Amino acid sequence: MAGRSTASTRPKPPQRRRISKSSNPKFLKDPKLLFSSALLLCDAILVALIIAYVPYTKIDWDAYMSQVSGFLGGERDYANLKGDTGPLVYPAGFLYFYSAIQYVTGGQVHPAQILFGILYIINLGIILFIYGKTDVVPWWALILLCLSKRVHSIFVLRLFNDCLAMMLLYASLASLLYQKWHLGLIIFSGAVSIKMNVLLYAPPLLLLMLKAMSIGRVISALAGAALVQILLGMPFIMSHPFAYISRAFNLGRVFIHFWSVNFKFVPEPIFVSKAFAISLLIAHLGLLTAFAHYRWCMHEGGLFKFLYSRLDPIKLKFALTSSFPLKKSFNIHSSNRVLRKEYIVTTMFVGNFVGIVCARSLHYQFYSWYFHSLPYLLWKTPFPTVLRILLFIGMEFCWNVFPSNLYSSAMLFFLHIVILVGLWSAPSEYPFVDNKASPENKDK
C-alpha cells in the first residue's frame, strides 16, 4: 500500500509548465515580430520628434479645409467647392474623412499633425503585418520601411490625402490575405473614394478575384464596392451629378511639368501632349497584359486560357489539355479556391508598380503610393542583396531632390525600369495553397 501510495503521489512530468515555457520562446525567437515591434516604437518616437522640431510646410491643408468648409456649409455642387490650389478633384469620401479630421482638430495644423502621426504608425503597423504574413523580405530589411525622409514628410509635414487612401488600401490588402474578398472590396472602394490612384491596384485585384471566387461572387463583390461609391456620392449625384462625376473621377487631368518627378527629362511640349499620354496608357495596358499572361496566369496556361476557363468552363473542360505539371493536382475550373498570401501580395504590388512606371506625372506626395512596397518588390527580383539596397538608396535619393531636374528624373525612370526587368525575370509563382479544406476557403 505504501509503495502504491508512493507511486501515485509521484509528481507527473510538468506538461503544463513545458507548454508555457515553449510558447514564450516561440514569441521571443520570432525575429520579424520582435523587430517589427521595435520598429514601430522607434518610428513613433521619430515621428514625435519630427512634429516637435521640424517646421510644418503648408501646401494643401488650407485648400482641404476650404473645400470641407464649403461642403459643411451646405454646398453640393462640385463646381463650387474650391480652395487655394484650385477646384476639388477628389471623390466624396475625401470630404467625409477631412470633415471628421476638421472636427477632431478644429482645423488646426498641430493637432492634425499629431493625428497624422498616429495614422502613420497605424499604416506602418498594417504594412509590417502584411510583410510578416509573407516570407519574402528578411527581418533585418524591414528597417528600410522606416528610413524614408520623404514619406515621413508626406504624412506629418504635409498631411496629404494620399496617406489616408493608402492606409485603407493596405487594410484592404490585409483583408484579402484572409480571403475576405467582399470586405476587402468595400475597404478598397473606401480608399478609391479618397483618391483615385488606388485604381492602379484594380486590374490585379480583379484577376485575383476571378481566381479565388465564382463569377457570381465576383459580381456581388464588385456590386458592393460600387454601392459604396454610390452611397458616398449620393448627396452630390442627386443635386449636381455631372459636376460630381466629371470632377471627382476625371481621368484626363494634365499635370504641371515643373512638378513632375519622373518625366522632368521629357520636353514640356511632349509631356503635355495627348500622344504622350496615349503612349503611356498603351504601355501600361501592354505591360499588365504581359505580366498577367506570362507570370500571374502561367500555371493556368496563360491569361486568355484562364479567362476562357472562367467564362466558359464547361466547353473548356473538354477542349483543353494539361500543359503544366501543376495542373494535374488542381482543377482550374473550381471556384472559391484559396490563394497563397505571397501570390496575392506579389500580384497587387507588381500591378501597382507597373502603373507607377507608366504614370505621366509623379508628384512628391505620390511616393507614398508605392514606397512601402519597394522592399518587397526588390526582394522578389533575382538581384543580389547589395544591388537591392543600392536601388532602394537610389530611389530615395531621386525622391529627395527638390525641385526635380533632368538628371534626377532620368535616374528615377532608369531605376524603375531596372526593378521592372528584375520583376519580369523572377520565376512565376504558383497561385493556390495545397489544402482546399482550409477554413480560409470560404469567403465570408
Side-chain angles (χ1 to χ4, degrees), residues 207-224:
L207 182 66
L208 292 173
M209 292 167 60
L210 289 172
K211 283 176 178 281
M213 297 190 292
S214 66
I215 296 297
R217 285 185 175 272
V218 170
I219 293 174
S220 66
L222 292 175

Side-chain angles (χ1 to χ4, degrees), residues 299-344:
H299 298 284
E300 290 90 346
L303 174 63
F304 305 106
K305 283 186 178 181
F306 167 72
L307 293 177
Y308 185 63
S309 72
R310 302 302 288 130
L311 298 176
D312 199 356
I314 297 177
K315 292 181 181 179
L316 189 66
K317 182 177 181 180
F318 300 99
L320 286 183
T321 57
S322 177
S323 53
F324 292 95
L326 287 170
K327 283 196 229 175
K328 295 179 181 179
S329 59
F330 285 99
N331 177 7
I332 65 173
H333 318 303
S334 63
S335 302
N336 299 325
R337 302 179 65 184
V338 181
L339 294 176
R340 294 175 58 247
K341 291 180 172 63
E342 184 176 319
Y343 179 81
I344 293 174

